[in-house]
Amino acid sequence: MWGRAARRRCPRGLRRGREALLALLALLALAGLGAVLRTRRGAGTAQPGSPSTPRPPRSGRREPVLPRPELSEDALGARGEAVRLPLEGVELRLQQESIQLHQINTYLSDRISLHRRLPERWNPLCKEKKYDFENLPRTSVVIAFYNEAWSTLLRTVYSVLETSPDILLEEVILVDDYSNREHLKERLAEELSALPKVRLIRANKREGLVRARLLGASMARGEVLTFLDCHCECHEGWLEPLLQRIYEKESAVVCPVIDVIDWNTFEYLGNSGEPQIGGFDWRLVFTWHVVPDRERIQMRSPIDVIRSPTMAGGLFAVNKNYFEYLGSYDTGMEVWGGENLEFSFRIWQCGGTLEIHPCSHVGHVFPKQAPYSRSKALANSVRAAEVWMDEYKEIYYHRNPHARMEPFGDVSERRQLRAKLQCKDFKWFLDTVYPELRVPEDRPGFFGMLQNKGLKRHCLDYNPPDENQIEGYQVILYPCHGTGQNQFFEYTSQKEIRYNTRQPEGCIAVEVGTDVLIMQLCKETVPENQKFILEDGSLVHEQSKKCVQAVNKDSSNSFVPLLRECTNSDHQKWFFKENMS
Ligand code: LR7
Ligand code: MN
């Protein structure tokens, strides 16, 4: 059962969940959504499957829905290896244009088979795992897409059909989120109509991925919903572990391991070792990190599920009734972003678990850069913070002063949902689910931009070339911009100057014998070279007893922070500011 609130009110809550979804559907339809709203098969779908509620054994094939067509060994990228086409002239230009348009090398993708095989990327133990095929719940796979390239979209569909056991796959629902590319119109409908179990529905205005997915979910007949992005490739055996886990535990939301497909070479990367789990930093940016020991000692084997504080967002399976009970998604979220952390917080705080199954692998093409505007992500994150983070939302706002100004709409319904489900608070989440995340002190007057007094509006700034590898570069000075990010620092009671908009956190340091400020990773016990004393505006490096000064760089007009003998000059004075006002 589904935890405290659920145990008492589950059937009612369920019905209400469904009513709410139907009401939402009606609303969406009114708003002009869902040109092809077909009636759902019976409003009362089966009760969620679990060992305690056995369903009559089903028959069906364990083989995939479709067989993989023969493919010659030397076909391009036929086994997931990297491909680089030797192009010149017109062809090279076409390839570049395709990258320009999709931020993915779709010129190459179009030349790789839609039915290619993938190299084995799972733990060998996964092959020996047995599944209750006859008893497992069936799933609807829901794939929303917006202006996706032909071959990446079709390869996703074929890979689902060619890797999913027939007996487990109810259907594949493709939701066109009001794309305007020609190839996604009649031609796509025609191509898909020839495929078994595949349905195509179209929004008739741009809904964004949250409402597009919900439109698909509202039509789903399967007991489980499995969401995928529209540029994925499923690895052999990806589906069984997800469904088996949900069969064992209805309130488990289960993600596959996400392997990387290179946007330029279409190489299928990833490994059979231990997967990474999801976290976030205090800007509410999703992060990956290694499995903590506290989790590893709980696992009964290397192929046991791994609990994860958050999910990346696009690829997961959930019992459909449980998804509705949990409040599906926040329909006030637009386009892209934020829904993954919102859902992660909600799963944990409201009694579910979020897990990654090491035996389920799915590849995802990470584009070169975002192919469409994602400016709504900020408002979406604010909605998540406002509903789920309690007073900890301030830590987020400190690092994104602009978020405080962002109009985020009405979240009262989502707060009511939280109350109705009697969800736990964010402190519980941090303490229990994500203890690795340090909670900043953010003492008044000791966080924000660190501005120099002698210069006009110049602030400490750190701009790592690689977001995921922040240590090693020099701290600089830059005109204050007031948007947090690279200019956000926190001075702690442990005398560190923390650069903690990222995970893992950086700490400003000075190597012995040098006078430059560089970034290192923070440590459990603060190293001597990371200690600073901030007093009366002076910033003294404790180990060297020298002061941080804005120093004119080779008599140009630009300044850098360096250690100098203390003089009390304004160029050695620093003060924290929260925003530009
Ligand atoms: O307006 C839109 N309408 C849509 O239907 C915008 C997007 N979409 C579709 C889109 O075509 C795609 O199928 O929604 C899906 C996700 O959009 P992407 O692929 O542009 O997103 P992403 O892969 O860059 O981003 C990740 O974070 C998102 C936050 O909102 C979503 O949760 C994505 O599903 C998620 N992707 C993954 O988790 C795959 C692994 C990436 C990582 C880490
Ligand atoms: Mn994606």
Side-chain angles (χ1 to χ4, degrees), residues 306-323:
I306 308 171
R307 290 177 300 176
S308 178
T310 69
M311 67 158 89
L315 285 50
F316 65 94
V318 61
N319 175 294
K320 182 164 179 258
N321 288 340
Y322 188 60
F323 185 59

Side-chain angles (χ1 to χ4, degrees), residues 251-410:
S251 62
V253 180
V254 197
C255 303
V257 179
I258 303 173
D259 293 325
V260 173
I261 302 171
D262 188 276
W263 64 266
N264 198 20
T265 65
F266 274 76
E267 180 175 8
Y268 189 91
L269 301 147
N271 61 66
S272 57
E274 189 176 81
Q276 295 205 308
I277 61 172
F280 60 90
D281 63 35
W282 286 105
R283 300 169 302 170
L284 295 185
V285 170
F286 174 85
T287 56
W288 292 111
H289 50 102
V290 295
V291 177
D293 290 337
R294 66 174 168 89
E295 179 65 12
R296 201 170 292 125
I297 55 174
Q298 295 242 335
M299 293 167 63
R300 285 155 302 175
S301 94
I303 59 168
D304 200 358
V305 289
I306 308 171
R307 290 177 300 176
S308 178
T310 69
M311 67 158 89
L315 285 50
F316 65 94
V318 61
N319 175 294
K320 182 164 179 258
N321 288 340
Y322 188 60
F323 185 59
E324 289 169 9
Y325 162 83
L326 274 183
S328 64
Y329 269 133
D330 176 357
T331 55
M333 291 190 175
E334 305 289 335
V335 188
W336 180 97
E339 97 293 343
N340 57 328
L341 295 188
E342 191 274 342
F343 189 38
S344 305
F345 298 160
R346 182 154 45 91
I347 292 166
W348 283 114
Q349 289 176 240
C350 305
T353 53
L354 175 52
E355 307 170 343
I356 295 171
H357 203 301
C359 289
S360 176
H361 281 247
V362 177
H364 171 265
V365 187
F366 292 76
K368 190 177 173 204
Q369 57 183 59
Y372 53 86
S373 162
R374 292 174 173 181
S375 60
K376 298 287 190 213
L378 183 59
N380 294 348
S381 291
V382 173
R383 288 180 74 86
E386 285 290 333
V387 175
W388 298 103
M389 289 177 71
D390 308 320
E391 68 273 25
Y392 294 88
K393 71 184 180 193
E394 291 301 322
I395 300 175
Y396 164 64
Y397 285 135
H398 290 160
R399 284 153 187 75
N400 294 268
H402 280 60
R404 226 187 265 280
M405 261 76 86
E406 183 76 6
F408 60 90
D410 182 2

Side-chain angles (χ1 to χ4, degrees), residues 18 72 98 104 157-158 249 440 528 534 541:
R18 181 163 302 114
S72 79
S98 85
I104 290 175
V157 177
Y158 279 113
K249 186 168 190 270
E528 289 306 310
L534 179 59
H541 184 238

Side-chain angles (χ1 to χ4, degrees), residues 190 210 399:
E190 218 165 275
V210 159
R399 284 153 187 75

Side-chain angles (χ1 to χ4, degrees), residues 143-148 175 177 206-209 212-213 228-231 258 286 288 312-315 335-340 364-367 371-372 374:
I143 303 169
F145 64 93
Y146 171 70
N147 278 355
E148 187 67 16
V175 187
D177 189 11
R206 177 85 176 273
E207 295 292 347
L209 68 89
R213 281 179 194 164
L228 293 179
D229 276 9
C230 58
H231 29 249
I258 303 173
F286 174 85
W288 292 111
L315 285 50
V335 188
W336 180 97
E339 97 293 343
N340 57 328
H364 171 265
V365 187
F366 292 76
Y372 53 86
R374 292 174 173 181

